[in-house]
Amino acid sequence: GAVVSQHPSRVICKSGTSVKIECRSLDFQATTMFWYRQFPKKSLMLMATSNEGSKATYEQGVEKDKFLINHASLTLSTLTVTSAHPEDSSFYICSALAGRSATEAFFGQGTRLTVV
Amino acid sequence: AQSVSQHNHHVILSEAASLELGCNYSYGGTVNLFWYVQYPGQHLQLLLKYFSGDPLVKGIKGFEAEFIKSKFSFNLRKPSVQWSDTAEYFCAVAGGYQKVTFGIGTKLQVIP
């Protein structure tokens, strides 16, 4: 199947700093990627839909100025957590649509963010 | 808005026992349905999917799921589980714009 690579897999940062997470589709082009956040003992919550060449669409309650999404090419979307706080500590996962008619979602391995 | 409900959050079974994980969804239109699995320390992987056609879908590793439209359900089944099936299982629905909404997940523990 298609491969989605997410980097880094783990990151620890200080409060107030910014962290960038990359999501790459390695063997296919993805016009649409999704960013999820997983809280402990909870489901994956969709944060935003990232569209190549246009602004991301954020879900209700997600601060677009805090979680900056850039999808500058057909193989790369980035999520930047700005001015990180400890409550931003979480597991972030991206996915990209591939397959016939781009209807199947493939997931990155996730990024464990810890803000200290 | 679409939503997914998984009924069992933690299931413990002995090897060779049969498995059924419940999943119900709500969405007003046509949906695509998925079951994903996450083995310890690994990515989410697609187990099986339903887009259209035969409502009984067969996936990898002996799993199957049945779409029952009248009940808005997409339950996952396996006749005989193995220790290697220990993982977390997520039911998911994709409605408009292919936004995938996940259930809370079910942790399956298979005891040898």
Side-chain angles (χ1 to χ4, degrees):
Chain A
V3 178
V4 175
S5 176
Q6 202 171 326
H7 178 80
S9 55
R10 290 179 187 277
V11 59
I12 301 172
C13 71
K14 290 185 178 179
S15 285
T17 62
S18 296
V19 173
K20 181 186 284 188
I21 303 169
E22 294 186 346
C23 180
R24 293 182 186 272
S25 55
L26 295 188
D27 50 0
F28 65 101
Q29 293 183 330
T31 55
T32 303
M33 291 186 175
F34 301 95
W35 286 96
Y36 295 85
R37 180 174 176 176
Q38 186 174 29
F39 294 92
K41 299 184 181 179
K42 292 197 173 183
S43 182
L44 290 97
M45 305 297 293
L46 179 64
M47 297 174 67
T49 303
S50 170
N51 301 298
E52 186 269 333
S54 65
K55 288 183 181 178
T57 305
Y58 289 82
E59 296 299 301
Q60 194 170 13
V62 178
E63 298 175 61
K64 57 183 70 174
D65 294 329
K66 178 162 189 63
F67 299 100
L68 300 179
I69 290 172
N70 185 284
H71 194 155
S73 78
L74 286 170
T75 59
L76 174 65
S77 174
T78 60
L79 168 69
T80 301
V81 182
T82 63
S83 187
H85 290 141
E87 56 263 33
D88 298 325
S89 297
S90 192
F91 192 62
Y92 294 87
I93 304 178
C94 72
S95 75
L97 294 182
R100 240 177 348 163
S101 305
T103 52
E104 184 168 340
F106 291 86
F107 289 83
Q109 71 269 41
T111 297
R112 171 72 61 195
L113 169 64
T114 303
V115 184
V116 297
Chain B
Q2 58 202 44
S3 67
V4 179
S5 173
Q6 284 183 247
H7 313 307
N8 321 97
H9 301 314
H10 195 180
V11 173
I12 302 173
L13 293 173
S14 298
E15 275 194 316
S18 65
L19 169 73
E20 179 156 4
L21 301 181
C23 173
N24 286 91
Y25 71 92
S26 68
Y27 183 69
T30 304
V31 293
N32 298 326
L33 296 158
F34 309 85
W35 275 96
Y36 285 89
V37 60
Q38 189 168 27
Y39 297 102
Q42 296 189 26
H43 295 216
L44 272 171
Q45 300 172 40
L46 182 65
L47 204 52
L48 49 78
K49 61 188 177 187
Y50 171 80
F51 285 177
S52 63
D54 189 342
L56 185 60
V57 179
K58 294 194 184 300
I60 59 172
K61 304 187 181 186
F63 286 91
E64 65 177 32
E66 185 174 11
F67 170 52
I68 303 179
K69 191 175 180 180
S70 60
K71 294 184 178 180
F72 297 91
S73 69
F74 191 56
N75 292 354
L76 180 71
R77 299 194 291 250
K78 185 170 183 178
S80 175
V81 295
Q82 301 172 310
W83 177 78
S84 58
D85 294 324
T86 295
E88 190 158 13
Y89 294 80
F90 294 90
C91 181
V93 58
Y97 304 106
Q98 293 303 324
K99 289 198 302 188
V100 182
T101 299
F102 288 86
I104 198 169
T106 297
K107 282 193 165 72
L108 171 65
Q109 187 179 353
V110 180
I111 302 169

